[in-house]
Amino acid sequence: EPDSKRKCSKGSPKAVKVGSGALRLSVIKDKSRSGKCTAKSRTETKKISYRLNGHVGTQGMFDFKYGVAAARIKMHKLQGQHSSFWLQPFDGNGPHSDGHEIDVIEYFGDKHPQGGLTSFIHWYKGKRLIKTGSWIKDSKSFLKNNKDGWSKNYHVFSVQWTPNVIIFRIDGKETWRTSARVSKAQQYLILSLLASDYEALEMADKKLPQHMYVDWVRVWETPVS
């Protein structure tokens, strides 16, 4: 999927499983591909195995406008891929769109130097894509104690979306809010564990598979008349 910065990986149902009350999304080796793929970052080029990514979405089946969307997630462990819970406008995110991509949470792995957690909004200014948001500062302060961890236990990640403001929370505690760019379009849900080329080369093939677990996803819609 080179259009998504993933020449070395692609989505596949083989990387999605449901069992023991949870959805498991994975990054696994693509056993159908022989040879290696050349992955590049800003500073490095490396050959790695082709990989399959797990992701699910509600496009064409469920979307909503305004309310709260939440998911109870246990993140993957190692750097080299990112777990995500995000929203996309039902008619696509592009120039002149009334909707925006809303990344409720992204996790880039344990021991990440910036804490590993981000929240972003992607919107267009004319034909130029703008990325608003940041790494969540002092992300460890949202953990219960020193034994807690994003890949050790489940945590609830949510977004509250009104016509005027978008508020992001972890376990009910606010991490960021913005009123600069608020989507005005119906949005659908996506859960994913994706290995983009720039990060996939950080992890040796022998460390695969990696897994993200989702206990539940809920939406409380509060339409505005």
Side-chain angles (χ1 to χ4, degrees), residues 82-124:
H82 59 282
S83 300
S84 302
F85 172 40
W86 46 305
L87 314 180
Q88 279 277 30
F90 77 106
D91 58 352
N93 185 26
H96 312 299
S97 171
D98 287 333
H100 313 302
E101 178 181 317
I102 302 172
D103 296 337
V104 181
I105 199 72
E106 295 177 299
Y107 185 61
F108 290 83
D110 295 356
K111 298 182 181 180
H112 191 282
Q114 291 174 283
L117 291 173
T118 67
S119 294
F120 283 100
I121 295 174
H122 300 258
W123 56 280
Y124 278 86

Side-chain angles (χ1 to χ4, degrees), residues 25-27 53-54 76 81-83 192-195 210-212:
L25 303 175
S26 305
V27 173
N53 301 322
H76 70 285
Q81 49 272 306
H82 59 282
S83 300
S192 58
L193 181 58
L194 303 176
Q210 291 290 301
H211 306 296
M212 162 191 175

Side-chain angles (χ1 to χ4, degrees), residues 17 28 39 62-63 69 84 113 115 130 132 150 159 171 177 208:
K17 292 186 180 298
I28 60 178
F62 172 80
D63 50 63
S84 302
I130 306 295
T132 301
W150 307 118
V159 62
D171 294 329
R177 68 170 60 200
L208 293 172

Side-chain angles (χ1 to χ4, degrees), residues 35-51:
K36 297 283 186 175
C37 178
T38 302
K40 297 180 179 180
S41 68
R42 292 180 180 178
T43 59
E44 187 180 4
T45 299
K46 187 176 180 180
K47 289 189 177 294
I48 61 173
S49 294
Y50 286 92
R51 300 172 184 191

